[in-house]
Amino acid sequence: MVHFLHPGLSPRTIVPPDAQKDDLGCGVAQEEASPYSLVNICLNVLVANLEKLCSERSDGTLCLPEHWSFPQELADQFVGVMTWQGKLTDRTASIFRGNQMKLKLVSIQKAKISTAAFTQAFCHHRLIELDATAVHTDLSIPDILRGLCSNSWIQQNLRCLLLDSASIPRNSRLLFFGQLTGLRILSVFSVCFHSEDLANVSQLPRLESLDISNTLVTDISALLTCKDRLRSLTMHYLKCLTMTKPQILAVIRELKCLLHLDISDHRQLKSDLAFHLLQQKDILPNIVSLDISGGSCITDEAVELFIQQRPAMQFVGLLATDAGYSEFFATAQDLRVAGGANMSQISEALSRYRNRSCFMKEALYRLFAETFATQVAMPAILKLVAIGMRNHPLDLPVQFTASACALNLTRQDLARGMPVRLLSEVTCLLFKALKNFPHYQQLQKNCLLSLTNSRILVDVPFDRFDAAKFVMRWLCKHENPKMQTMAVSITSILALQLSPEQTAQLKEELFMAVKELLAIVKQKTTENLDDVTFLFTLKALWNLTDESPAACKHVIENQGLAIFIQVLETFSESTIQSKVLGLLNNIAEVRELSSKLMTDDVVKHVSSLLHSKELEVSYLAAGIIAHLTSDKQPWISHDLQRRALLQDLYTTIQNWPSSSCKMTALVTYRSFKAFFPLLGNVSRPEVQLWALWAMYHVCSKNPSKYCKMLVEEEGLQLLCDIQKHSEADPQAQHIAASLLDDFRMHFMNYRRLPLCMPFL
């Protein structure tokens, strides 16, 4: 039995930047709130059941059924889903051997597969794009190139190759890209890529787009070889360049076909290359996109003049500079700016720099300041925060700042304007950050604060078992009173959401939490302080002990009974009494512990509260007496006392209103199983009557939940037995019959009713 709680607590697709200018939330809200596509659902099912659906080859790899065939687009998506879920391995990649799948656009990002598996699974296909970003070191760049070049069709037709953060063995020197004559787009961001490699790549006859960011290139003069075809050049953080500024600018000046140039840099390096570039009048005549984020000495005036001289410009990157704040950037038509001056610029920065931690943390810092007091739900922005967290899981500044931004964007009412799927993603990322940084207190506080949001805590799917462990550990850290109150309140609700099996698995956390909660109750009682922390603590103990013999045992072993007697003797408020009695009810339901309640103090207080004018208090006291008196054995030497309690119980129940009367449910139940021994006790109609009243009460208030529970737990037969039993109490029979009648009305078309319940 648990306390009935109000849900609240009292104390790779992004919206295009131009769409965000009109409505920062509309596109993402629609996407995240929409059901998953049928294709997505089917592919997820396939991936989850791959082992069952496939046969096994002699080498241990998987093989698709012979008659299966996938269209090319679906096959590409299948690889993507497997990669995204971390399911692409040597064993599973083998399903792409042969011709059952026809692949063109393949992503194996972060996959852990060997060279042999890669070659056998993918290199016989007619690939036009391959994303091998951050693949495991088992598959190196030279191995990827050899595999691709083993297929003459790929040599001539592969258009796009992304090798960001991929590895190169130490004994490997020159990378041979020359055979990939069809290559148009190449990215080697954060790769051991040297000037000699650049010379080799620059000779590719169709190369149009090149990213050599954070590589070991010292000289970019080789780019002059492809000056008449290079359209896009990204060289962010080229830390090893040995050329002088005039030499670099001389090369860039010759790249007259460039539409996009990125020379952004880490702010700490104070690079002034961009400053000198902006002074040039005869450079980059056709430029459309220029990224100079992180550059030093950048001014609004210099940027404005550069853009005015090149009216075709559509984007400029100014994050982590002193520019972007003038009226020009707010009023310029068709110009997107990645910066920190306003939400539009910050949104653009978060979208553009999702893979660059140095700029991601800068954009998040600006976002935190911008959204500190926001009153508008912005799901598109929250999605970008989530992407930043997901892309940089081991970067503490990114994770910490993102967690603070997430709090700003999901404060109580704002969370109600966010799609559940998006909130779920962010919450799961927060818990992932906790695991990666278990000792960073402020990050833990941000995660705890996020869980105080009733929308997240009640409606959003996330791993509540892990959350409970985290919150219970935090509870025992003796933090300041405000944090303690939050931890207690969250525990009280999470306890409702864990299954009894999960609660039992908590073990050490459960023991420590119960001990700490009892200490709080004792302290507050001694101080005669019934504040919100005290009430939440009682709720938490009530809910933690529900169907949890381990928690009940911890309460007994930590002098919980004495503490609760002190509570009952100190406070007379019915809200406090009901919480204490609810907890004692949970203990009474545990057969091996119920005898521990048969003390003079417990029986005295429970007997007294049986006559409370508050129905909830009387009801809960009656439940304790019903469980304690149902077994005659422990009362052998106190039979008169037992008879008196039973008589008192029977009389009290007669004075209650009808169990189906119009009033809110007194309690909620996870299961009726604790009632079944009481229902079968025909010799004790008082006990049976309480159980029937309780079941009829909750069934009449929430029939969809509890009528279903009656069927699933096979409780209907017990009601039928009472109705037919010749020695059953007439009032008990009446309630049982009423319950069955209501059940028939609720499930008129239910086709698995017991024989004693004919269809109407």
Side-chain angles (χ1 to χ4, degrees):
M1 175 177 54
V2 293
H3 186 265
F4 185 80
L5 284 172
H6 188 275
L9 291 178
S10 57
R12 161 158 172 178
T13 301
I14 303 298
V15 173
D18 52 340
Q20 291 176 12
K21 288 183 178 180
D22 298 327
D23 187 343
L24 288 173
C26 183
V28 167
Q30 291 175 354
E31 174 201 341
E32 297 286 339
S34 300
Y36 288 105
S37 70
L38 184 58
V39 169
N40 257 341
I41 294 171
C42 291
L43 290 177
N44 280 316
V45 171
L46 279 176
V47 173
N49 294 278
L50 206 55
E51 294 279 347
K52 298 177 184 176
L53 297 169
C54 294
S55 56
E56 188 175 85
R57 295 187 179 93
S58 58
D59 62 0
T61 60
L62 297 182
C63 179
L64 288 173
E66 289 184 11
H67 60 282
W68 281 27
S69 179
F70 282 68
Q72 174 262 315
E73 185 178 350
L74 198 60
D76 291 341
Q77 290 184 53
F78 194 16
V79 180
V81 172
M82 290 178 67
T83 301
W84 177 259
Q85 295 184 10
K87 299 291 180 64
L88 189 68
T89 64
D90 283 8
R91 177 172 168 81
T92 59
S94 59
I95 65 173
F96 299 104
R97 297 179 189 175
N99 297 315
Q100 289 174 279
M101 305 268 196
K102 297 189 183 301
L103 300 173
K104 278 191 176 182
L105 317 174
V106 170
S107 170
I108 56 171
Q109 282 192 45
K110 300 180 181 179
K112 188 181 187 306
I113 58 173
S114 65
T115 301
F118 169 75
T119 304
Q120 293 171 8
F122 302 114
C123 293
H124 65 287
H125 291 281
R126 295 191 167 192
L127 302 183
I128 58 173
E129 291 185 15
L130 175 65
D131 184 352
T133 298
V135 289
H136 194 268
T137 53
D138 289 352
L139 179 61
S140 68
I141 290 180
D143 293 330
I144 293 172
L145 294 176
R146 275 191 291 271
L148 294 173
C149 292
S150 66
N151 183 330
S152 59
W153 192 95
I154 289 179
Q155 288 183 32
Q156 298 175 30
N157 295 281
L158 184 71
R159 298 183 309 197
C160 176
L161 180 58
L162 309 182
L163 299 170
D164 301 349
S165 301
S167 65
I168 297 176
R170 290 185 179 180
N171 58 355
S172 183
R173 190 62 189 91
L174 190 62
L175 300 175
F176 294 98
F177 290 89
Q179 289 179 275
L180 298 173
T181 55
L183 204 59
R184 297 175 182 228
I185 301 170
L186 175 64
S187 180
V188 288
F189 174 84
S190 291
V191 166
C192 290
F193 184 91
H194 296 79
S195 299
E196 298 86 346
D197 301 312
L198 180 61
N200 175 251
V201 164
S202 298
Q203 296 178 37
L204 291 171
R206 297 183 183 178
L207 187 68
E208 295 179 353
S209 176
L210 179 63
D211 187 342
I212 53 174
S213 303
N214 193 28
T215 60
L216 302 178
V217 170
T218 58
D219 189 329
I220 61 169
S221 300
L223 292 173
L224 296 173
T225 306
C226 57
K227 65 178 183 178
D228 294 328
R229 54 184 179 275
L230 198 61
R231 301 285 190 274
S232 174
L233 175 62
T234 302
M235 45 185 200
H236 162 75
Y237 190 40
L238 269 193
K239 56 189 181 297
C240 296
L241 271 182
T242 57
M243 302 171 71
T244 64
K245 300 292 187 309
Q247 288 174 328
I248 297 171
L249 292 172
V251 173
I252 293 176
R253 184 175 285 106
E254 293 300 313
L255 304 178
K256 299 185 185 300
C257 294
L258 271 188
L259 301 177
H260 166 77
L261 175 64
D262 182 346
I263 54 171
S264 60
D265 215 332
H266 289 205
R267 187 173 199 167
Q268 293 80 355
L269 297 181
K270 298 182 179 180
S271 169
D272 60 354
L273 175 61
F275 168 77
H276 292 289
L277 175 71
L278 293 174
Q279 312 308 313
Q280 312 300 310
K281 293 183 179 180
D282 57 342
I283 200 168
L284 303 173
N286 300 309
I287 199 74
V288 171
S289 166
L290 176 66
D291 199 330
I292 54 176
S293 290
S296 64
C297 306
I298 308 295
T299 65
D300 280 338
E301 293 76 17
V303 178
E304 287 177 29
L305 182 60
F306 187 89
I307 293 174
Q308 287 168 351
Q309 293 171 348
R310 296 158 184 83
M313 280 192 66
Q314 299 172 11
F315 168 79
V316 61
L318 299 174
L319 186 67
T321 71
D322 295 326
Y325 296 89
S326 72
E327 187 67 20
F328 171 82
F329 298 101
T331 57
Q333 294 292 322
D334 302 320
L335 179 68
R336 297 201 298 268
V337 181
N342 51 50
M343 279 302 301
S344 177
Q345 291 188 16
I346 294 169
S347 170
E348 186 73 26
L350 289 169
S351 180
R352 292 265 178 174
Y353 304 132
R354 63 185 68 181
N355 293 318
R356 297 182 186 175
S357 62
C358 64
F359 290 154
M360 178 56 67
K361 66 188 73 172
E362 179 80 22
L364 288 170
Y365 176 77
R366 303 296 179 94
L367 178 65
F368 175 76
E370 192 75 20
T371 58
F372 190 74
T374 186
Q375 300 295 319
V376 180
M378 294 183 281
I381 299 298
L382 184 61
K383 181 67 177 180
L384 292 172
V385 172
I387 290 171
M389 294 183 74
R390 189 174 64 235
N391 288 356
H392 308 284
L394 300 179
D395 190 306
L396 177 57
V398 168
Q399 294 299 316
F400 170 59
T401 314
S403 70
C405 292
L407 279 177
N408 282 355
L409 293 166
T410 58
R411 281 194 308 270
Q412 298 297 341
D413 291 339
L414 294 179
R416 301 194 179 281
M418 298 288 185
V420 168
R421 193 190 306 170
L422 178 57
L423 290 174
S424 176
E425 179 184 6
V426 171
T427 305
C428 292
L429 286 167
L430 284 171
F431 279 107
K432 185 176 181 179
L434 285 179
K435 291 179 179 178
N436 289 335
F437 304 101
H439 305 299
Y440 196 71
Q441 293 288 311
Q442 192 57 50
L443 182 62
Q444 293 186 342
K445 284 185 179 180
N446 287 350
C447 189
L448 191 68
L449 284 164
S450 74
L451 288 179
T452 61
N453 189 300
S454 59
R455 163 84 159 155
I456 292 174
L457 194 55
V458 176
D459 298 334
V460 173
F462 61 91
D463 190 331
R464 282 163 168 75
F465 180 73
D466 273 357
K469 287 205 293 187
F470 159 66
V471 175
M472 288 178 181
R473 287 171 186 162
W474 183 274
L475 179 64
C476 301
K477 289 181 179 179
H478 305 286
E479 277 289 325
N480 64 65
K482 185 177 179 181
M483 299 303 294
Q484 183 187 66
T485 300
M486 286 193 292
V488 169
S489 65
I490 296 167
T491 300
S492 70
I493 292 185
L494 283 178
L496 293 173
Q497 300 170 335
L498 298 179
S499 68
E501 294 76 19
Q502 287 177 315
T503 303
Q505 290 172 24
L506 287 169
K507 294 182 180 178
E508 182 182 353
E509 289 86 2
L510 181 62
F511 173 77
M512 296 299 294
V514 169
K515 187 176 181 179
E516 182 65 24
L517 291 168
L518 287 172
I520 295 171
V521 172
K522 185 175 182 178
Q523 178 189 346
K524 298 290 184 182
T525 305
T526 302
E527 296 172 355
N528 198 13
L529 186 61
D530 57 341
D531 59 6
V532 67
T533 303
F534 179 65
L535 296 175
F536 273 135
T537 305
L538 291 175
K539 284 182 185 177
L541 283 165
W542 184 356
N543 294 338
L544 277 174
T545 53
D546 179 49
E547 292 197 25
S548 175
C552 292
K553 186 178 179 182
H554 294 330
V555 169
I556 298 291
E557 292 174 344
N558 286 280
Q559 288 76 52
L561 293 184
I563 293 172
F564 291 122
I565 292 300
Q566 185 185 358
V567 172
L568 293 175
E569 290 176 347
T570 304
F571 303 103
S572 58
E573 291 87 346
S574 61
T575 52
I576 295 174
Q577 292 172 340
S578 63
K579 291 173 178 57
V580 173
L581 292 174
L583 187 150
L584 296 178
N585 246 296
N586 290 339
I587 297 175
E589 291 176 2
V590 183
R591 194 169 186 83
E592 56 269 27
L593 296 176
S594 60
S595 61
K596 302 290 185 181
L597 299 180
M598 292 169 55
T599 66
D600 290 341
D601 284 338
V602 173
V603 172
K604 179 183 72 173
H605 283 285
V606 172
S607 300
S608 172
L609 293 172
L610 180 64
H611 302 287
S612 171
K613 293 180 181 179
E614 295 293 334
L615 182 56
E616 182 179 12
V617 174
S618 178
Y619 168 82
L620 292 167
I624 297 170
I625 293 173
H627 284 290
L628 292 184
T629 57
S630 63
D631 186 3
K632 186 176 182 179
Q633 190 64 30
W635 296 87
I636 289 178
S637 58
H638 300 85
D639 189 55
L640 287 176
Q641 185 182 18
R642 176 175 179 256
R643 289 175 180 273
L645 286 170
L646 286 168
Q647 181 58 45
D648 209 7
L649 175 63
Y650 189 85
T651 304
T652 299
I653 294 174
Q654 306 307 311
N655 295 325
W656 290 349
S658 166
S659 52
S660 62
C661 67
K662 292 182 179 179
M663 61 182 181
T664 57
L666 301 175
V667 291
T668 61
Y669 293 97
R670 299 182 204 240
S671 169
F672 282 145
K673 291 179 181 177
F675 290 91
F676 294 167
L678 308 184
L679 291 178
N681 198 341
V682 180
S683 63
R684 290 271 57 100
E686 307 90 342
V687 170
Q688 199 178 54
L689 198 58
W690 177 83
L692 284 165
W693 195 98
M695 292 173 68
Y696 192 23
H697 171 68
V698 294
C699 284
S700 63
K701 299 298 174 286
N702 190 351
S704 60
K705 173 182 177 180
Y706 291 109
C707 289
K708 180 182 177 184
M709 188 185 292
L710 268 175
V711 175
E712 292 175 345
E713 298 183 350
E714 300 179 359
L716 285 175
Q717 191 59 53
L718 288 169
L719 298 178
C720 294
D721 292 343
I722 293 171
Q723 188 183 31
K724 294 188 299 181
H725 202 290
S726 59
E727 298 179 9
D729 180 82
Q731 189 176 359
Q733 288 182 318
H734 174 73
I735 297 178
S738 298
L739 222 171
L740 290 171
D741 286 342
D742 282 5
F743 182 88
R744 288 191 189 96
M745 292 299 295
H746 184 70
F747 283 127
M748 286 182 67
N749 298 318
Y750 201 80
R751 299 190 179 277
R752 291 177 58 192
L753 298 175
L755 293 176
C756 69
M757 294 184 61
F759 290 104
L760 295 177

